[in-house]
Amino acid sequence: MTTGISPVSCRFADYFVVCGLDTESGLEPDELSGENFEQSPLRRTFKSKVLAHYPDNVEWNPFDQDAVGMLCMPKGLAFRTQVDTREPHFHSFIITREDGSRTYGFALTFFEEVTSQQICSAMQTLYHMHNAEQYDILHTPTSPRGPDEPRLHHPHTQSRPILHAAPAISRLQRFNSYDISRDTLYVSKCICLITPMAFAQACQKVLQQLYQAVTSPHPPPLPLESYVFNILYEVPLPPSGRSLKFSGVYGPVVCQRPSTSELPLFDFAIGEMFNLLGVENVLQLFTCALLEMQILLYSQHYQRLMTVAESITALMFPYQWQHVYVPILPASLLHFLDAPVPYLMGLHSNGQDDRTKLELPQEANLCFVDIDNHFIELPEELPQFPNKLEFIQEISEVHCHRGQKYKEKNKNSMCMYSTDATEHVEWLKLEVREDASGNKDPRFHCDEEELKMHQLNIHVREVFANRFTQMFADYQDKESWFTNRDQMQNFDKASFLSDQPEPYLPFLSRFLETQMFKRVDKLLAQVEWKGTCLDIEVMIVACSNDTHECGLFFCVCNDRSCKSRVTLAQLDLVFYFQGKSALWSHLLHYQESKEKKSATPAGLGPPGFIHDTERRKSDGGGSAMPPLKVSLIQDMRHIQNISEIKTDVGKARAWVRLSMEKKLLSRHLKQLLSDLELTKKLYKRYAFLRCDDEKEQFLYHLLSFNAVDYFCFTNVFTTIMIPYHVVVVPSKKLGGSMFTANPWVCVSGELAETGILQVPRNTQEITFECQNLGKLTTVQMGHDNTGLYAKWLVECVMVRNEITGHTYKFPCGRWLGKGVDDGSLERILVGELMTPVTENDERMCRTPPMQQSPGMMRRFVTISPNSKPKLNTGQIQEGVGEAINGIVKHFHKPEKERGSLTLLLCGEFGLVWALEQVFQHGFKSPRLFKNVFIWDFLEKAQVYFESAEQREVNPDENWQSRVQHFCRFMRAINNTSRNIGKDGKFQMLICLGARDHLLHHWIALLADCPITAQMYEDAALIKDRSLVNSLIRVLQTLQEFNITLEASLIKGVGI
């Protein structure tokens, strides 16, 4: 189901609405409700009104008061007394705007006591009038009898009134009356959420908890307004492919939004529709919907109308209902039923009238569905759905076994959605917690029935989606559906129908003429690359979730909200049959032809590299790491070696992802299509790939992908094994030839870490294979300090992913060894992604790195004032501000768009560098040629803070608590077994302080410490009170963010 939400609609809910009785206007009969005014006043309906809605208006979804008022309470107000049942009931509805987009409403109707004396008196008056009218009717003499009718009374009593109905009056007064002195009057009221997407289960929980808070004798901890404000302004729409958990009044509320490669969002119970109608009736209704007939649903329960309507349209995916769609038809709009067009509407029943009393248009193609009585009236000459009996058996098996047996049976089926959608439902199970006694914690209770509902929904929808796949599986002219661009309608109906069995033709011939089929056919025509259209955009979205589906969109304009967008999953449903892929088949033929040529005596070198002579190099790598060869076939072999990919479609997508990540998609396809003989062999003369102009334009457009760094392969195939090559580059001036210790490295990425890897000291490079590390972030390197010359000056470390070719450079420029530099035997290096360059391709785009390179080395402080340029206080303040601003921007981005937080903390011009400049400004050095580090100052400050003198000077408890925190962190870092050196310890302290939001406290402590006066000049920044206060205020902005540190930064420190 498409929601058609506005791109700016980013909130979970747009409006909170209250509908009910307006005491100022009093009781207004609802004349359009179709009620019989001979009924008692308690059984009549009265006009309801929108009493309030919050906010007043949002620009992307203007509030439609009339529509909301009609659909929240379609039958108007209802009155009850204390003897009637007053259970609350929930229903949902849809408002369709003029542009075809939809807004969803979720309403909870309950009864509250009428406190207005005016309303109670009015109801009493209505009852007096009603009883008087009934009395007059019952006392009216009967009509004259015919001459043959027997006389049943004495002639002398002929003029007396007949009072045989007296017992009926007494029953009326006893059971169907209202006495203001005796009875309590209740009136219906409704609370409603208007949302851009149909999260029915979540909205129902929110409304039920709000109602519970209103009626509960124990009020919630916060005012109800705060919960309403939270749902309207603070709860966002969950991103595509992600789940969202937020707090309700009494417990958490969880919802999940499918990704673009899954079946669309659907949050109603399909199983309820099957329980109400039966499998065969549902299939008949489904057939009527596909043939676009008039469908009228009939029930006294609004939610049943909505559930059946939404379920039947959801099962039509990838097709969509194109005509009038009103699941709940208000009583005032009954004339819509006379429309001579296809429609799907829901009509409310009062539970008393039977089918014969309904005044419906006598249309031959009307499908009437009586939901409550479990039967369906079919239109005339309804054709049978193809392979109907087998389809019914398959659906019944899924429904009876709640999807479990089907799941096991179809583990390796061709359905593309089962793995993703089923895995994404499993998060519901995580909400169940059990204590030691085995009892479920009610705070984390997950409704098992809701979990089963979602599982059954997925499996039933898979069955119906697969049925469409099988329906077109035998279409032999599929490629012409892609390449015939001479007309808008590409599907060859005659060719398709000629191959179908005779019993299927009545249905298929009518289905191919429907608007829903024509819309999909037209949509597919739009995705063709036309020679005259220059603004075609092909967007491949690199999904970071754990799905192997590719979020590929085709769009014919630059507007990303375009409604003609088609996902690759939808195209696969129609065009990729039984695991086949035209792209992968083409690649396999190409691979076979090249390997045959390489097997001839003239072939030199390993297969696959014959015609791929170009190499790619990375700036700054020099000769330290030989460049990878550009090879289409080698990339194919990488994909073929991935055992997790089972189908040809999956392999084709993986190859596209890999080519995009390597920025070689256009080059590879150009090489693939350069084999003209193979192209002529595989494609018909009029095929798109046989048209030189359009093929050239297609390849030209693909070049634009090279302007962005994609990680669509790395982020998707997270569990595969990948080879990495590591090269340690020693200083050119002081080479590592005399180095005697045994070096090691540990490579860390966003997904995993390698652990310690020993590096041969004679070659100082290593190749290893491990599970995908993701984007690389840090390298830990060091040595064991053995041998005569255990001092090592390292320029940088280079690490390359041997499949994607991504090369990362980790600058160092520092010594590792005792008695040199800061005495470190181990360093943590932060890296940057190098930009790949192809020697022979001048058109290859050069992309700036995703983050700044941490190339500036951390320098120790020397006595010489001219040893390096020093920053003034203004420059230092600017540096701190930029570092903090970078972190703030990081957390305000969507999670998928965030870069590396480690770079912002420890990289060039990061937070550690900025605070190092603060502490270096005005730093004294006591002796010539003696290296003094910031850590030396911090250790002396720690000694002072731990002394009794400090406790006497400042006995304030808050101050002492901050002192204790500082000393505890200093001790923990000094006691670590890692030999990270003094600069490494300073970096670790800053990272831990940022994580625990303590940096501004520590700056205040150190600014007032007597050690600062001893070790800093008077003009030092740390001694300027106004500058220190400004620095503290800037650091306090980090308190609102939850900073999670990479494990490599704080390894060995148990805080």
Side-chain angles (χ1 to χ4, degrees), residues 944-945 949-950 953 1005-1015:
Y944 169 76
F945 288 139
E949 176 186 353
Q950 182 273 144
V953 172
L1005 288 177
L1006 295 171
D1008 293 339
C1009 179
I1011 304 301
T1012 304
Q1014 300 173 13
M1015 300 188 67

Side-chain angles (χ1 to χ4, degrees), residues 675-721:
D675 191 335
L676 300 180
E677 293 184 3
L678 180 61
T679 305
K680 291 180 181 179
K681 177 182 176 182
L682 296 177
Y683 296 91
K684 294 184 178 181
R685 176 182 52 79
Y686 53 82
F688 167 76
L689 296 178
R690 297 274 304 270
C691 179
D692 292 338
D693 292 340
E694 296 186 4
K695 179 176 66 177
E696 190 67 26
Q697 184 182 0
F698 162 59
L699 296 174
Y700 175 79
H701 282 302
L702 291 182
L703 278 174
S704 62
F705 288 141
N706 297 350
V708 182
D709 287 320
Y710 290 100
F711 291 88
C712 47
F713 181 86
T714 300
N715 290 340
V716 170
F717 300 99
T718 57
T719 60
I720 66 173
M721 301 299 290

Side-chain angles (χ1 to χ4, degrees), residues 790-834:
K791 297 183 177 67
W792 198 19
L793 180 59
V794 177
E795 186 69 28
C796 66
V797 177
M798 308 288 294
V799 183
R800 183 175 65 203
N801 182 319
E802 294 293 279
I803 292 182
T804 66
H806 281 161
T807 302
Y808 295 81
K809 183 178 181 180
F810 298 84
C812 179
R814 302 291 296 271
W815 283 95
L816 288 86
K818 292 292 186 181
V820 62
D821 207 329
D822 63 345
S824 173
L825 297 180
E826 175 184 343
R827 295 201 182 277
I828 302 173
L829 310 180
V830 182
E832 64 165 332
L833 176 65
M834 305 296 293

Side-chain angles (χ1 to χ4, degrees), residues 172-191:
L172 173 70
Q173 293 173 342
R174 190 182 313 123
F175 299 110
N176 197 16
S177 63
Y178 168 70
D179 189 337
I180 192 172
S181 62
R182 181 189 67 220
D183 297 323
T184 303
L185 188 63
Y186 295 87
V187 66
S188 57
K189 193 171 187 177
C190 175
I191 54 176

Side-chain angles (χ1 to χ4, degrees), residues 81 140 388 606 725 1039:
T81 63
T140 301
K388 177 181 175 181
H725 186 61
Q1039 288 184 277

Side-chain angles (χ1 to χ4, degrees), residues 870-890:
K870 292 187 177 181
L871 304 180
N872 58 41
T873 55
Q875 293 172 323
I876 294 174
Q877 284 182 298
E878 183 180 355
V880 174
E882 289 295 332
I884 298 295
N885 193 37
I887 297 174
V888 172
K889 289 181 179 179
H890 170 86

